[in-house]
């Protein structure tokens, strides 16, 4: 495991890092991913209790005695695992951008 050397940064260093194009690119990329995924997650997650409490749309049979409510509940597990895998893949790009910010910060 590689040990990182830590450098003491002053307040002005942090200000210049935050204003740097590479840091702004990192924030922009993260926002473009995290905000839509979070909105999707909350809509999908809260749809089950809302639909089961205030409508009967999920009470219809899917296969045999299994209703759409059970299918929707199972799909929430699939969605959670899928979003975790998607984030794991995107995190590699975020790490590259963060390393670029760190390298540029070290050159100041």
């Amino acid at each position: 495991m590689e040990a990182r050397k830590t450098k003491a940064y002053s307040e002005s260093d942090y200000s210049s890092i935050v204003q740097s194009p590479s840091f702004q690119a990192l924030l922009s990329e993260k926002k473009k991913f995290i905000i839509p995924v979070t909105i999707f997650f909350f809509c999908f997650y809260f749809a089950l209790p809302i639909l089961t409490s205030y409508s009967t749309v999920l009470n219809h049979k899917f296969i045999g005695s299994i209703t759409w409510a059970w299918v929707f509940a199972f799909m929430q597990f699939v969605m959670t695992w899928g979003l975790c895998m998607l984030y794991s893949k995107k995190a590699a790009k975020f790490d590259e951008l963060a390393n670029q910010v760190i390298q540029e910060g070290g050159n100041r």
Side-chain angles (χ1 to χ4, degrees), residues 71-87:
V71 174
F72 197 97
F74 176 74
M75 290 305 295
Q76 288 193 342
F77 287 99
V78 174
M79 182 252 333
T80 301
W81 282 98
L83 291 179
C84 287
M85 289 187 291
L86 182 64
Y87 181 78

Side-chain angles (χ1 to χ4, degrees), residues 5-24:
K5 293 182 182 179
T6 58
K7 177 183 172 185
Y9 290 104
S10 69
E11 191 173 321
S12 63
D13 290 335
Y14 284 117
S15 295
S16 64
I17 289 171
V18 168
Q19 294 171 2
S20 71
S22 58
F23 185 78
Q24 294 301 317

Side-chain angles (χ1 to χ4, degrees), residues 24-68:
Q24 294 301 317
L26 172 62
L27 289 182
S28 175
E29 286 296 315
K30 287 183 83 170
K31 282 181 188 177
K32 281 193 274 184
F33 176 76
I34 290 172
I35 291 172
V37 168
T38 302
I39 291 169
F40 169 75
F41 172 81
F42 280 122
C43 290
F44 196 86
Y45 180 79
F46 285 114
L48 180 63
I50 290 169
L51 289 173
T52 56
S53 297
Y54 302 108
S55 78
T56 59
V57 73
L58 295 179
N59 292 346
H60 302 317
K61 304 270 186 213
F62 173 68
I63 296 176
S65 62
I66 299 172
T67 63
W68 281 102

